[in-house]
Amino acid sequence: MQLYNTLSAEERAIMIDDAGKQRLTLSFYAYAKIQDPKKFRDDLFLAWNKLDALGRIYVATEGINAQMSIPEENLEAFRQTLEVYDFMKGIRLNEAVEHDDHSFLKLTIKVRDKIVADGLNDETFDVTDIGVHLKAKEFNEILDDPNTIVVDFRNHYESEVGHFKNAITPDVETFRESLPIINEQLQNHKEDKNLVMYCTGGIRCEKASAYFKHQGFKNVFQLEGGIINYAKQLKEEGLESKFIGKNFVFDNRLGERITEDIISQCHQCGKPCDNHTNCENDGCHLLFIQCDECKAAMENCCSTECLEIIHMPLVDQVRLRTGKQVGNKVFRKGKSENLKFKHSGELPETALATAQKTADIRQKIKVKKVLLGKAEHYYVKAQVGQFTIENQELNIGDRILISGPTTGNQEMILDKMVVDGAETQSAKIGDKVTFKVPFRIRLSDKLYKIVN
């Protein structure tokens, strides 16, 4: 009985491309009493793994919080797996504004103490006494009321690239930090103002609205389904968007465009930009905004220090980060003295530039390829890569693809290679082959032969 992933992200990406099927990115949540979260988790994994459903899901005794990628043809079958549970019958699935077949590449379901880390003691107040849910049209109307205070309950790196006009955007790194800050800031407006809140998909506001009603706020409202559902209703009903910019999302896309306005800057050069990058240095992984020019010049790094580190031998990189808390903290902080153009707290609402129109993100060019082997080493000065051939032969003249999470997809024609110190025309399974590679490769990279 398979209860965990057996494929790497790279292997899953290849399978998705080869299948050529449209996938949907969606999210949902539900607060409910779950007696046995571990059994609930395992049952979900078995059901969803059969449907090729992928994503990041948290379950706890208080409910479920899920962000997922599902083959479009399996959507109804997926809904049926939810209908098994009374508390998820008819649940709203927030479909992404922009779908990407590679938004998630693993099915990860984790049992947690809470489905959102809010730092609250749920025994001290009624978590079911939530604020009034507002649809997009109602939300727009209440924002026009001069007695309304609108609060963004997301983190600084989320609100920086997009937010509602006139919103309070707390300069915080976690949701739990924003609760006491807003409570203190609005102490004098508990009865005379409408407290209107929003977040990405609505889940943070469910608990926050109940918390603020417990704190004595009389008129508490929340955006139903968050920014994701708001954007969907804008299109369906032809409404004006009072949100400006991009909606940050916690998957491989790192954002989906709501309006064409770019309101943030590249943290390194100041150019209008709202594309996030995770620093290439495995000992850093700082989340920051980086334009294409800086990305190329800095090789996905946030600083010259990190740029120097990624060119060190791997053993030295590991030694430098030994004992430091890094690992899988991909969305870490987003603040550093090196980020000269980072903004947080009170944010501008004036567009710095207009995003260029791009092709539909769902339409991908399918490249037929066969996995040959994996990267073993890269000799920086010589610009030579070493690979182990694990499947099929590699021949001079082959069109090859070197692919990895950071390297991306790099194609080239093989015109010369060396096996066991001698130049050769072909390499067979088991051979360690070296050849010129005019770009840096990583140990996570895979070598493919393009066959179409």
Side-chain angles (χ1 to χ4, degrees):
M1 185 168 61
Q2 182 188 338
L3 291 173
Y4 298 92
N5 286 284
T6 58
L7 297 175
S8 68
E10 292 84 359
E11 291 169 327
R12 179 69 70 174
I14 295 169
M15 289 181 62
I16 289 173
D17 285 344
D18 288 345
K21 296 179 180 179
Q22 184 61 62
R23 299 184 69 89
L24 302 176
T25 302
L26 54 84
S27 62
F28 63 92
Y29 67 88
Y31 279 100
K33 294 293 183 183
I34 298 176
Q35 298 299 323
D36 189 345
K38 176 61 168 61
K39 183 180 185 303
F40 179 58
R41 179 261 174 219
D42 291 348
D43 289 345
L44 290 180
F45 192 97
L46 290 172
W48 291 349
N49 194 44
K50 293 177 183 177
L51 299 176
D52 192 24
L54 307 172
R56 184 186 302 111
I57 302 96
Y58 299 130
V59 299
T61 55
E62 67 173 3
I64 181 171
N65 179 17
Q67 295 86 41
M68 303 188 68
S69 168
I70 297 164
E72 188 173 37
E73 64 182 15
N74 292 344
L75 180 58
E76 289 309 312
F78 176 76
R79 286 184 186 275
Q80 291 175 18
T81 67
L82 304 180
E83 295 287 326
V84 170
Y85 304 93
D86 288 340
F87 72 90
M88 287 197 287
K89 288 184 181 296
I91 194 170
R92 180 187 63 247
L93 301 180
N94 284 336
E95 285 197 23
V97 176
E98 299 174 334
H99 295 279
D100 186 340
D101 292 345
H102 291 181
S103 58
F104 289 100
L105 295 173
K106 289 187 177 182
L107 177 58
T108 304
I109 310 178
K110 294 184 178 181
V111 176
R112 292 281 183 87
D113 292 333
K114 287 194 172 189
I115 55 177
V116 175
D118 51 41
L120 298 174
N121 182 354
D122 295 352
E123 303 301 321
T124 61
F125 66 101
D126 183 359
V127 296
T128 65
D129 185 22
I130 60 177
V132 178
H133 282 224
L134 299 176
K135 296 187 182 301
K137 187 174 185 296
E138 300 168 321
F139 194 80
N140 279 359
E141 290 171 352
I142 202 169
L143 292 187
D144 291 333
D145 187 332
N147 287 320
T148 289
I149 296 175
V150 59
V151 180
D152 189 328
F153 275 100
R154 300 173 304 151
N155 304 323
H156 63 82
Y157 53 83
E158 299 174 81
S159 57
E160 185 176 7
V161 294
H163 53 266
F164 278 97
K165 297 172 183 177
N166 300 317
I168 296 174
T169 52
D171 187 10
V172 296
E173 295 172 354
T174 62
F175 170 53
R176 69 173 67 190
E177 292 176 66
S178 62
L179 297 173
I181 291 174
I182 295 301
N183 187 37
E184 177 64 28
Q185 191 172 338
L186 303 181
Q187 275 294 311
N188 297 326
H189 299 291
K190 290 186 175 182
E191 297 189 10
D192 66 331
K193 297 290 185 181
N194 299 319
L195 176 57
V196 180
M197 56 187 67
Y198 69 91
C199 56
T200 306
I203 187 170
R204 284 176 267 193
C205 293
E206 288 291 293
K207 190 69 70 71
S209 66
Y211 169 78
F212 281 102
K213 289 186 73 174
H214 175 69
Q215 292 297 319
F217 288 84
K218 302 300 182 184
N219 306 304
V220 181
F221 303 85
Q222 62 195 90
L223 179 58
E224 183 178 274
I227 301 164
I228 297 173
N229 197 43
Y230 177 84
K232 179 182 178 183
Q233 292 178 32
L234 292 183
K235 290 185 177 181
E236 292 175 346
E237 302 175 32
L239 302 173
E240 172 197 0
S241 177
K242 292 186 179 292
F243 185 96
I244 182 171
K246 180 185 280 189
N247 179 32
F248 184 93
V249 292
F250 290 86
D251 59 53
N252 293 335
R253 296 171 298 151
L254 293 180
E256 53 185 14
R257 190 155 298 287
I258 307 300
T259 71
E260 300 305 314
D261 306 288
I262 296 177
I263 63 172
S264 52
Q265 299 170 274
C266 171
H267 288 164
Q268 293 175 319
C269 73
K271 175 182 176 180
C273 178
D274 54 11
N275 295 323
H276 278 94
T277 294
N278 282 299
C279 181
E280 175 66 15
N281 176 15
D282 285 335
C284 178
H285 279 318
L286 187 74
L287 181 70
F288 67 106
I289 298 173
Q290 188 177 47
C291 69
D292 290 343
E293 289 81 2
C294 289
K295 181 184 288 288
M298 296 295 293
E299 299 182 42
N300 286 27
C301 290
C302 69
S303 64
T304 54
E305 291 84 359
C306 285
L307 182 59
E308 292 173 358
I309 289 173
I310 68 168
H311 287 288
M312 292 180 177
L314 182 59
V315 64
D316 291 337
Q317 293 186 45
V318 173
R319 177 180 53 78
L320 283 174
R321 61 178 183 265
T322 299
K324 295 182 180 179
Q325 188 177 7
V326 286
N328 294 323
K329 298 184 72 175
V330 176
F331 300 106
R332 188 174 69 84
K333 305 298 182 183
K335 290 185 179 180
S336 166
E337 292 181 359
N338 293 314
L339 306 180
K340 298 179 181 179
F341 296 92
K342 164 71 184 175
H343 299 288
S344 55
E346 291 188 18
L347 298 172
E349 295 174 356
T350 304
L352 302 176
T354 300
Q356 295 183 354
K357 297 286 185 181
T358 57
D360 188 343
I361 195 170
R362 300 173 71 169
Q363 304 306 314
K364 296 181 179 296
I365 299 174
K366 304 300 181 183
V367 177
K368 295 298 182 182
K369 52 188 183 290
V370 175
L371 179 64
L372 293 179
K374 61 183 180 181
E376 296 287 354
H377 193 71
Y378 183 64
Y379 301 91
V380 178
K381 291 184 178 180
Q383 289 191 310
V384 168
Q386 182 182 65
F387 300 83
T388 298
I389 304 301
E390 300 175 336
N391 180 43
Q392 295 197 6
E393 285 190 353
L394 174 65
N395 299 291
I396 293 297
D398 282 346
R399 184 176 166 214
I400 61 174
L401 172 73
I402 298 173
S403 178
T406 300
T407 304
N409 294 313
Q410 304 283 353
E411 294 184 23
M412 57 185 288
I413 303 295
L414 188 63
D415 58 5
K416 183 179 179 180
M417 63 177 167
V418 173
V419 174
D420 294 331
E423 190 173 333
T424 183
Q425 292 294 306
S426 64
K428 60 183 185 298
I429 296 174
D431 284 346
K432 289 190 181 296
V433 57
T434 57
F435 53 84
K436 277 274 189 180
V437 182
F439 49 85
R440 179 181 173 81
I441 63 172
R442 282 89 181 167
L443 294 183
S444 58
D445 289 353
K446 298 290 191 293
L447 174 66
Y448 303 92
K449 179 190 294 185
I450 296 176
V451 296
N452 64 326

